[in-house]
Amino acid sequence: MKFARASGVLLHPTSFPSRYGIGDLGHDAYKFVDFLAETDQTLWQVMPLGPTGYGDSPYASFSAFAGNPLLISPDLLARDGYLPPEDLADVPDFPGHQVDFGLVIEYKKNLLARAFAHFEEKEATDHQAAFEAFTSAQKEWLDDYALFMALKDFHGGAIWNSWEKGLAQHEPRVLAQWRRKLAKEVRYYQFQQFQFFRQWSSLRQYANERNIKIIGDIPIFVALDSADVWSHPDLFYLDEESNPTVVAGVPPDYFSATGQRWGNPLYRWDVMAKNNYRWWLSRFRKTFEQVDIVRIDHFRGFEAYWEVPANEETAINGRWVKAPGRQLFATLKRQLGDLPIIAEDLGLITPEVTALREEFHFPGMKVLQFAFGDDHTNAYLPHNYEVNSVVYTGSHDNNTTRGWWYDISDKERVAVQLYLARDGSDVSWDLIRLAFSSVAAMAIIPLQDILDLGAEARMNTPGRPQGNWSWRYWLDALNDAIKDRLNTITRLYSRNPLEVARLVEQKEAELRKALEQQPA
């Protein structure tokens, strides 16, 4: 699919300001959308929106279909009658610029439980009817997810393959007994999803009405401790005890000398092919209900993936295994049409991976922080870009540009200075300008770089199991000076497709008028 020349901001909703300890889908989410509109941005990129598990990573979710209940806005719950105002009177003194996930989870869990109790006590209303309609429409994934979460609570949070055998093996007779036993708890988790998708759909509509498209994220793999693996064990390489036999990762690279052993169970692609990739079709359909464009994380894994024996402690002793990406994307195209997909093609990219991306016309990613370690042939240098690409100063896995600048070698720093003809004192905006001026169709900038923040604002450090994903910006960060600077550079490099269309229309009108005035 061909993308118009545009720009936008990378920011996960957890990073919004909020008095409830974590960004949510309430007032400040709408203020951020207003900021995008005021600065001529037409793209907003988020990370996966699913419920987070161990390590609080959005890339390790309990479900590939569900939404994160921590993002539900308490203020919107109160506004819509799901909570009495007094329930929001006593809010803990949460940190202002970081998410303390332990405190937030405890607080939000209690708040959502009160909202559910209030909902159940009320007589039949339009909200009740809407809830029933939601659970019916989302039954394909919601029933298993809600039961899975209720069962995790019952088992003290233990991973599903440690549950009693009938449950661990998803036996229908056993499941039916537990659905009856935990009916109220299952309904509670359905209620959480109802609220998340109500609030997210409203926010997305607000963004779309302001000509802002949301870029979502599909991680190629799913977590072992997820409703997806529990309810579809036949689609994964598991042994008789439901433990993975092989797991996902990447070989040694820029981020780690021992590679990254992610630990996700690997797909049985042969089984998926036999049912025409039905699970993937459902996953993409659901994601496109939530967002307008999808970034596929670790796209190269659809051509070949790094398979690590489950008993290995690192990813060093793995091997490349071919994947049926061509067949999968052809099936998706037949069923869903041309999809607006961005391929995250960072790392060790082979000609076969590039050929797969180009066959389906998916734009690849260019990260400027990777551009200056080699010579002029480096694929991340803007003079080597193709139009069908997306340029970033850095991704969620990179340091902020300011933090990166202080970490790189003297040789690399000189290369940056020579290429930009700048001394580096304003390096974040130097790279933003470089991204916006490039031929790449889309330019996406992490908000941390727009705010020129240092390493303290880094979102994620790959390979570090804790202490990630917690950065938040402050209430008055998006001030007029930032707005003016972002708006100016966006217009300077024609990054607003609506403005470009208006100028083209204006020029065409002027040409028509000039032609009409010429003598016959």
Side-chain angles (χ1 to χ4, degrees):
M1 176 175 287
K2 185 177 180 180
F3 291 91
R5 186 170 175 83
S7 62
V9 177
L10 168 60
L11 181 76
H12 200 52
T14 55
S15 295
F16 293 136
S18 166
R19 69 189 184 107
Y20 302 107
I22 189 171
D24 60 40
L25 305 180
H27 173 72
D28 284 287
Y30 287 81
K31 284 188 65 177
F32 175 72
V33 171
D34 291 340
F35 164 78
L36 294 176
E38 290 167 11
T39 56
D40 274 355
Q41 306 311 300
T42 52
L43 299 169
W44 170 23
Q45 182 171 326
V46 299
M47 289 172 236
L49 295 169
T52 53
Y54 175 75
D56 309 303
S57 170
Y59 294 89
S61 175
F62 289 130
S63 170
F65 296 81
N68 188 349
L70 297 181
L71 296 177
I72 295 171
S73 165
D75 290 329
L76 294 184
L77 288 176
R79 183 200 69 182
D80 295 338
Y82 293 98
L83 280 174
E86 55 267 26
D87 278 3
L88 304 182
D90 187 19
V91 179
D93 186 19
F94 290 112
H97 305 321
Q98 298 285 329
V99 181
D100 184 327
F101 282 99
L103 289 177
V104 166
I105 289 170
E106 181 180 1
Y107 175 74
K108 282 285 185 86
K109 182 178 179 180
N110 291 332
L111 203 65
L112 289 169
R114 292 201 297 273
F116 176 64
H118 189 68
F119 173 73
E120 292 287 78
E121 290 168 2
K122 296 178 70 174
E123 296 180 0
T125 64
D126 290 343
H127 286 173
Q128 293 277 357
F131 171 72
E132 300 302 336
F134 172 80
T135 57
S136 177
Q138 305 299 326
K139 184 179 180 64
E140 180 183 9
W141 64 271
L142 183 59
D143 285 1
D144 272 331
Y145 167 75
L147 179 58
F148 173 82
M149 295 303 296
L151 286 166
K152 277 191 72 67
D153 287 347
F154 183 86
H155 290 89
I159 188 170
W160 63 268
N161 60 10
S162 68
W163 302 344
E164 46 269 49
K165 189 173 182 179
L167 273 182
Q169 297 186 352
H170 208 257
E171 294 179 5
R173 178 184 58 82
V174 178
L175 295 184
Q177 294 172 352
W178 280 94
R179 286 189 197 280
R180 291 191 294 270
K181 182 176 181 178
L182 300 179
K184 183 176 181 181
E185 291 82 358
V186 168
R187 188 171 168 87
Y188 165 62
Y189 280 104
Q190 291 173 329
F191 171 80
Q192 286 187 0
Q193 293 305 301
F194 171 60
Q195 293 299 338
F196 172 86
F197 283 107
R198 281 181 71 251
Q199 294 188 6
W200 177 257
S201 296
S202 177
L203 180 60
R204 181 191 176 189
Q205 180 180 349
Y206 186 83
N208 289 168
E209 288 171 352
R210 284 148 186 80
N211 301 305
I212 296 162
K213 293 182 178 180
I214 298 177
I215 303 174
D217 200 319
I218 285 185
I220 181 174
F221 300 116
V222 297
L224 171 64
D225 194 13
S226 67
D228 310 292
V229 182
W230 173 64
S231 59
H232 300 283
D234 57 310
L235 302 182
F236 300 88
Y237 283 105
L238 306 176
D239 63 19
E240 293 181 356
E241 301 300 319
S242 299
N243 292 307
T245 57
V246 287
V247 296
V250 290
D253 61 7
Y254 172 89
F255 292 111
S256 174
T258 58
Q260 298 176 46
R261 183 191 181 280
W262 295 334
N264 309 79
L266 291 171
Y267 298 115
R268 290 282 308 273
W269 285 112
D270 56 335
V271 176
M272 289 181 160
K274 289 177 182 177
N275 64 21
N276 204 32
Y277 303 105
R278 185 171 60 213
W279 183 83
W280 278 103
L281 282 165
S282 297
R283 189 179 185 189
F284 270 91
R285 282 195 183 101
K286 183 61 184 175
T287 303
F288 277 110
E289 289 177 12
Q290 303 171 41
V291 300
D292 304 291
I293 302 168
V294 166
R295 170 191 177 273
I296 297 179
D297 191 55
H298 197 59
F299 177 80
R300 73 103 55 244
F302 288 102
E303 194 283 323
Y305 54 89
W306 191 247
E307 178 187 275
V308 182
N311 59 3
E312 290 284 340
E313 293 185 1
T314 74
I316 293 177
N317 296 319
R319 64 172 187 141
W320 289 109
V321 179
K322 287 292 184 180
R326 181 166 284 102
Q327 295 91 330
L328 170 64
F329 292 119
T331 300
L332 292 172
K333 185 174 181 179
R334 284 195 303 271
Q335 296 289 328
L336 306 177
D338 283 328
L339 296 177
I341 285 174
I342 297 168
E344 185 271 287
D345 56 347
L346 307 175
L348 180 60
I349 301 302
T350 64
E352 292 81 4
V353 177
T354 300
L356 176 64
R357 180 182 61 76
E358 291 179 345
E359 179 178 345
F360 293 94
H361 308 289
F362 300 152
M365 286 178 55
K366 306 295 183 183
V367 176
L368 288 172
Q369 289 185 22
F370 297 156
F372 303 99
D374 301 310
D375 59 21
H376 66 279
T377 64
N378 187 305
Y380 298 113
L381 285 169
H383 65 258
N384 294 318
Y385 290 0
E386 58 184 21
V387 172
N388 192 33
S389 58
V390 189
V391 58
Y392 298 76
T393 50
S395 75
H396 62 269
D397 283 335
N398 291 92
N399 202 341
T400 67
T401 294
R402 175 64 60 188
W404 163 82
W405 175 250
Y406 291 120
D407 280 349
I408 59 177
S409 67
D410 290 341
K411 180 180 178 181
E412 195 171 356
R413 192 173 294 110
V414 169
V416 176
Q417 292 169 330
L418 285 172
Y419 196 86
L420 298 175
R422 301 279 287 173
D423 64 6
S425 59
D426 195 19
V427 68
S428 297
W429 278 89
D430 290 341
L431 260 62
I432 292 171
R433 178 182 291 268
L434 191 60
F436 274 52
S437 65
S438 76
V439 299
M442 291 181 278
I444 307 292
I445 311 299
L447 184 64
Q448 292 96 316
D449 286 351
I450 292 171
L451 300 177
D452 192 25
L453 300 179
E456 74 283 354
R458 183 171 184 165
M459 197 64 171
N460 179 50
T461 302
R464 186 176 71 176
Q466 300 290 337
N468 298 310
W469 317 109
S470 63
W471 176 77
R472 300 168 67 202
Y473 69 90
W474 56 101
L475 277 172
D476 58 351
L478 308 181
N479 55 44
D480 288 342
I482 292 292
K483 291 178 184 178
D484 289 345
R485 195 170 193 185
L486 185 56
N487 181 268
T488 298
I489 201 169
T490 304
R491 289 175 177 266
L492 180 64
Y493 294 112
S494 300
R495 284 281 170 192
N496 186 331
L498 296 175
E499 179 68 13
V500 171
R502 186 189 66 78
L503 290 173
V504 169
E505 184 178 336
Q506 178 182 326
K507 291 296 184 183
E508 289 176 345
E510 291 173 357
L511 179 59
R512 284 194 300 269
K513 184 176 180 180
L515 290 172
E516 290 170 357
Q517 292 175 350
Q518 288 182 359

